[in-house]
Structure formats: structure tokens, C-alpha cells
Amino acid sequence: MIAMRFVTLPLVLLLGGSFVPANSQWLFYHDKDTPMKDGKPDLFAKTPRTFDGHPDLSGVWAVEHAAPGEIERLYGAAVVNGPQATAGDDIRMMNKYFLNLFIDYKRGEEPIRPEWREHEARVRQSGVNERYSPLHCLPYPMPTKYFNIRPFKVFQTPKELGIYSEMDGNFRWVHLDGRPLPEDPFPSWLGYSTAHWDGDSLVVDSNGYNDKQGLPSGHLHSEKIRFRERFTRIDFGHMDLEITIDDPEALTKPVTVKIRENLLPDTDILEYVCNEGERDAANISEVQTNLKKAAESKEAPKENQKSKPPR
């Protein structure tokens, strides 16, 4: 369980916007249905179930942050306390996949198609990746929102599952009524999601995401991307989440990651309004201006050399 209810300002260009919590919400409210042990919530109590016998996934959940020293080992100390860190933020509270979905692969061996790497390179040459949606207060992309320490809340009914994300204040609906995924979906921010039970695990399939979002570490995806999420609540306070990403246009094979989500008992989701105190738009403009000036300064000596008459 995380020690603090929320962390301070997130990484400027990874999270987007500023966090303005409302101070009139129920941060400390005891739920009488929470099992107790020695005066504290018993997070290892048995898994709660709904009236139809399925595990009840309802509750406020937050990703289990990286093990001590893991972020520094994988990414270097600079992202924690060096020039790549953001003042007031602790990236160590995020999951290891937050900064790079392909961190388990050796550099250069990520399952990305060569033609897609070229496509990504062309986008990077333009400066800042304009298509990273949080920079513009647009919905937080899948699956990055699961790797962020900001929690999400699950509302479960027999026919629908609602997932409310504190990070961007968006509701995602997952249908359990047997409907199939659309074959030719209109691209959207939150996609189309259906689910079924496989024993005690809820398996969610989704498609129909637009390509205006991005994967961790600045990687892009196409509108053909599909996700499969497998939620398994192993006891009262812990849930395993397996996520498989499949994009036949961008990836050579599906990629699967596994993370642990921990229940935050006796609390609730905070209000989040990205546009309140938002500064990314100005920062993006400044970065683009500086990049343009740097590129022009590099080209200037070359032009001067060409203009000099031969001796």
C-alpha cells in the first residue's frame, strides 16, 4: 500500500498538466465492509464476491511501485535526482513500465517493425511528439495509465464494469453482456471494451483506439492496436493485472506485461482538472522554438562554408 495518498507534480512531458486536488472529498472514510485485523484493514483477507459468485473487483486501486533501486538500475540515477528528474516528483513510485513499455528487452531488440521505427524517427525529427495526448489535456493513453501511481476506481455490475481514472477524470465502460467487439470501429480515445469471466479472472478485450496517443517511452501505435487485460483479484487487497498489447502494423509480435495493483482502502478518487493550472502548451511552444533555433545554428556554419569562394 502506498505511503502517501498522492504524489506531487508528475514528470512534465510524460504526464501533462498539473494536479489540483479538491480538499472537500472523502480521503479518509471507513467502509464498514472492509475486513479489519488489529485495528487496520486486513488486505490479506479473502477475495470478496458478488451475489453471482464472481470476484468483486470494485474498489480504488493503485499500481505497486517499483522495488527499491529498480528505477535507478534500469534507467539511471538521473531520472530520480539528476538533470532528467522533475523537482518535487518521485519517479520511483511509478511502475517500471511507466518510462518504457519495452524495458524487458535489450536495446534494439524491441519487437517493433523496421518500417515503424522509421515512422517514429520521422515524428521525432519534428521535435516534440505532438501526438502524446496528456500534453494537451486529452485522455491518458492505454496502457500507461495503469503504470502511473495515480489510482483508478472500479464499479462492477453483472453487465457492465466502469473504470474511472483519477489521472484524467475519464470513465471507461467495459461490457459483460456478451456483445462482440466492433469489426470496423470508429477510432476513439477510450476504445471499445468487452469482457468475459475465465474462472476467477476477468478477461477484457478492447479495440478501436485512435492513433493520437502513445506508448511509454514515446513509442507510437496504429489504429489497429488491441489490448487484452486479465484482472485477477487474489485477496482483499491485491489484484494481478496482465496486459497484452497487439498492433500488427507496429509490432512484430504481441507484448505482455504483468503488474500488481494494490487496494487503497477507506479512501476515494480525487477530482482532476487538467486545464486548471495547465502549462504544457507554453512549454511545448518554447521547446519547439529552442529546437528550431538549435537546428538553424547548426546549419548556419555549413551555409557559410558553401558561400566562401574557393582560393
Side-chain angles (χ1 to χ4, degrees):
M1 186 172 64
I2 57 175
M4 297 177 63
R5 173 59 183 83
F6 57 85
V7 293
T8 52
L9 286 178
L11 292 176
V12 175
L13 291 183
L14 283 176
L15 300 186
S18 61
F19 180 65
V20 184
N23 57 15
S24 60
Q25 298 172 74
W26 291 274
L27 279 183
F28 308 104
Y29 179 79
H30 176 65
D31 184 347
K32 61 181 179 59
D33 294 327
T34 300
M36 304 295 288
K37 185 177 182 180
D38 300 328
K40 299 178 181 179
D42 184 3
L43 300 181
F44 295 95
K46 64 180 182 180
T47 301
R49 294 182 179 271
T50 59
F51 71 90
D52 55 3
H54 292 302
D56 189 352
L57 308 184
S58 301
V60 178
W61 300 91
V63 70
E64 185 169 283
H65 51 74
E70 184 176 34
I71 295 297
E72 295 93 327
R73 177 179 61 83
L74 293 173
Y75 297 103
V79 301
V80 176
N81 53 21
Q84 298 178 40
T86 300
D89 188 51
D90 191 348
I91 194 64
R92 293 170 295 183
M93 295 188 72
M94 308 296 181
N95 181 270
K96 70 173 184 177
Y97 297 113
F98 176 73
L99 292 176
N100 186 0
L101 179 66
F102 305 110
I103 190 60
D104 294 332
Y105 295 85
K106 293 182 180 179
R107 185 180 294 274
E109 297 183 3
E110 302 90 343
I112 302 174
R113 294 186 178 279
E115 61 271 24
W116 196 256
R117 289 183 185 274
E118 295 174 1
H119 168 66
E120 291 184 332
R122 289 192 296 269
V123 173
R124 292 193 186 97
Q125 287 174 0
S126 65
V128 176
N129 182 3
E130 286 279 357
R131 294 203 292 181
Y132 190 66
S133 54
L135 297 180
H136 305 279
C137 289
L138 294 169
Y140 213 72
M142 279 278 289
T144 313
K145 61 175 59 182
Y146 286 128
F147 308 144
N148 190 300
I149 193 61
R150 298 275 163 69
F152 61 92
K153 186 171 184 177
V154 174
F155 301 84
Q156 182 174 331
T157 72
K159 290 188 176 183
E160 285 184 318
L161 194 81
I163 303 178
Y164 181 78
S165 173
E166 181 178 283
M167 188 62 239
D168 56 9
N170 277 310
F171 241 118
R172 177 185 170 207
W173 291 110
V174 179
H175 300 282
L176 290 86
D177 56 4
R179 72 181 68 183
L181 287 175
E183 294 183 3
D184 186 21
F186 182 84
S188 64
W189 290 102
L190 303 180
Y192 304 79
S193 302
T194 63
H196 66 274
W197 288 99
D198 180 14
D200 281 346
S201 297
L202 183 69
V203 180
V204 180
D205 290 300
S206 62
N207 68 351
Y209 295 89
N210 65 37
D211 63 356
K212 299 177 182 179
Q213 309 176 55
L215 297 171
S217 191
H219 290 289
L220 307 178
H221 66 70
S222 76
E223 292 183 346
K224 293 181 180 179
I225 195 167
R226 295 174 67 112
F227 296 97
R228 167 163 283 193
E229 301 148 76
R230 190 178 185 91
F231 296 86
T232 306
R233 188 168 185 172
I234 59 178
D235 53 27
F236 183 77
H238 307 90
M239 181 165 62
D240 286 339
L241 175 54
E242 179 183 279
I243 307 170
T244 298
I245 303 98
D246 187 13
D247 187 343
E249 194 168 313
L251 304 177
T252 59
K253 64 179 181 179
V255 173
T256 298
V257 299
K258 299 178 181 180
I259 59 177
R260 170 67 59 84
E261 299 286 350
N262 295 330
L263 182 74
L264 303 184
D266 301 339
T267 189
D268 215 329
I269 294 294
L270 287 173
E271 181 183 75
Y272 175 90
V273 181
C274 179
N275 287 341
E276 204 167 28
E278 196 280 326
R279 295 185 294 275
D280 281 338
N283 289 339
I284 292 172
S285 177
E286 182 179 353
V287 168
Q288 289 178 325
T289 300
N290 292 337
L291 288 171
K292 184 177 180 180
K293 289 181 178 179
E296 291 174 348
S297 64
K298 290 181 180 179
E299 290 297 324
K302 296 180 182 180
E303 292 299 325
N304 291 337
Q305 287 292 108
K306 294 179 181 179
S307 63
K308 289 183 179 180
R311 293 185 177 180

